[in-house]
Amino acid sequence: MARKTANDDPLAPVTIAVGQEELLLDRAVQQVVAAARAADADTDVRDLTSDQLQPGTLAELTSPSLFAERKVVVVRGAQDLSADTIKDVKGYLGAPAEEITLVLLHAGAAKGKGLLDAARKAGAREVACPKMTKPADRLAFVRGEFRSLGRSATPEACQSLVDAIGSDLRELASACSQLTADVEGTIDEAVVGRYYTGRAEASSFTVADRAVEGRAAEALEALRWAMSTGVAPVLITSALAQGVRAIGKLASAPRGARPGDLARDLGMPPWKIDRVRQQMRGWTADGVATALLAVAEADAGVKGGGDDPEYALEKAVVAIARAARSRSR
């Protein structure tokens, strides 16, 4: 979810929403507008792009009204404002008008940093809306969505939803909302599987899970489905690598350590420790080394080193599944 500063009053004179995650930026705007309309149902909202805010426009929009109406002025892409308009905005920051809330959406990069610094110096309320590029961030987002909706979801369900949907936050938020509306009680992995059959089955992590569990036929079936639905081969090799490395990390960890301690030391959530413990039965150190070599060869194959990425992945999946049963041979 978007992170906020200590000044968390949506009706603060100035709010800056900083980052490039479109859903979070839109939510930052919606929160301000909702608060303003709760205070005054007739609040006037002006939503402008950077090219629409010309020199003098802000002064016109924020000038006193005969009707003393509340107003929200939203400026998107504030980093792209012209130099003259930035002067106008900086001047306004020093003496914001009453009953008016200015919301500046800024990408947060070096461009337009002077305006961002000026807003912060003036004490603007800040909402951080960073792009969520890491799977762990998206997982935390899903957990937060269910919490904000007042529902309980198991860690496995949250992970399955991220695996099934991918990186699009709008789709993740929509899926959380749909599950909350349609399902009673705790949302678990089975529920996610029922609702997202096909997408979940096509997940690169499903391929990896079946492979490290030694279930070659199921892994190959999941792989073919994934490829047919457009999952990028590099995502599959990445998932395979993560799965094998997790086996190796846990195998070399001290015996008898608690899941919480292992989670901290190995950089895995506690629920994943339990899953990997189940998956690692049958693995040996030589098996891990063999599987890692197979993943490296597949990675080279899908990145231009071979003629058939799907064949390279099939070879890797079979090799990993065999390595998963190395202890029993």
Side-chain angles (χ1 to χ4, degrees), residues 54-78:
Q54 297 297 317
T57 304
L58 183 61
E60 179 182 341
L61 291 173
T62 58
S63 59
S65 168
L66 291 175
F67 303 102
E69 64 181 353
R70 181 178 291 276
K71 186 179 293 184
V72 175
V73 178
V74 180
V75 180
R76 298 179 183 271

Side-chain angles (χ1 to χ4, degrees), residues 12-329:
V14 180
T15 287
I16 49 174
V18 185
Q20 299 178 44
E21 192 60 70
E22 291 296 330
L23 174 66
L24 300 184
L25 290 168
D26 285 346
R27 285 186 172 180
V29 173
Q30 291 164 9
Q31 184 188 35
V32 172
V33 172
R37 286 185 168 155
D40 181 352
D42 295 325
T43 294
D44 181 24
V45 178
R46 302 296 180 92
D47 197 325
L48 309 172
T49 58
S50 58
D51 61 325
Q52 291 175 315
L53 194 71
Q54 297 297 317
T57 304
L58 183 61
E60 179 182 341
L61 291 173
T62 58
S63 59
S65 168
L66 291 175
F67 303 102
E69 64 181 353
R70 181 178 291 276
K71 186 179 293 184
V72 175
V73 178
V74 180
V75 180
R76 298 179 183 271
Q79 71 279 355
D80 297 322
L81 292 171
S82 68
D84 288 339
T85 304
I86 287 176
K87 289 181 182 178
D88 286 353
V89 177
K90 286 182 176 179
Y92 177 82
L93 294 173
E98 293 185 10
E99 300 298 311
I100 292 177
T101 299
L102 175 64
V103 184
L104 300 173
L105 276 57
H106 193 292
K111 186 177 182 181
K113 188 173 182 296
L115 175 58
L116 198 55
D117 291 341
R120 287 169 172 159
K121 186 176 180 180
R125 168 180 176 262
E126 182 169 348
V127 182
C129 306
K131 197 75 175 174
M132 294 191 181
T133 57
K134 298 179 180 178
D137 292 337
R138 295 191 286 275
L139 182 60
F141 172 80
V142 167
R143 289 172 177 164
E145 285 294 290
F146 282 123
R147 280 197 302 269
S148 67
L149 292 166
R151 294 299 299 277
S152 175
T154 66
E156 294 84 357
C158 294
Q159 183 65 60
S160 292
L161 196 58
V162 172
D163 291 347
I165 301 297
S167 60
D168 191 312
L169 252 58
R170 291 187 190 278
E171 288 196 34
L172 285 170
S174 176
C176 291
S177 180
Q178 179 185 14
L179 289 170
T180 299
D182 292 355
V183 178
E184 295 183 359
T186 298
I187 296 165
D188 59 19
E189 190 173 16
V191 168
V192 174
R194 284 201 306 272
Y195 271 73
Y196 295 95
T197 298
R199 296 186 70 167
E201 294 296 326
S203 162
S204 55
F205 289 100
T206 299
V207 179
D209 283 342
R210 299 297 85 80
V212 300
E213 289 162 4
R215 296 153 67 178
E218 293 176 42
L220 287 171
E221 182 181 359
L223 171 64
R224 287 159 189 157
W225 184 278
M227 296 293 287
S228 71
T229 56
V231 177
V234 292
L235 294 180
I236 299 174
T237 55
S238 175
L240 291 170
Q242 289 181 48
V244 175
R245 286 181 189 133
I247 298 286
K249 285 182 179 180
L250 193 56
S252 61
R255 293 185 178 275
R258 294 179 300 178
D261 295 334
L262 287 172
R264 183 185 63 252
D265 295 340
L266 301 181
M268 301 180 195
W271 67 265
K272 189 170 184 180
I273 296 292
D274 294 334
R275 174 178 286 182
V276 175
R277 271 181 171 157
Q278 294 175 356
Q279 293 174 334
M280 65 186 290
R281 297 168 185 165
W283 281 89
T284 63
D286 287 343
V288 172
T290 298
L292 286 174
L293 178 60
V295 171
E297 291 175 349
D299 189 56
V302 303
K303 291 180 178 177
D307 297 328
D308 189 343
E310 185 169 353
Y311 177 64
L313 288 169
E314 287 179 354
K315 283 181 60 180
V317 163
V318 171
I320 293 168
R322 285 177 178 169
R325 299 191 299 272
S326 56
R327 189 182 298 278
S328 60
R329 287 185 294 183

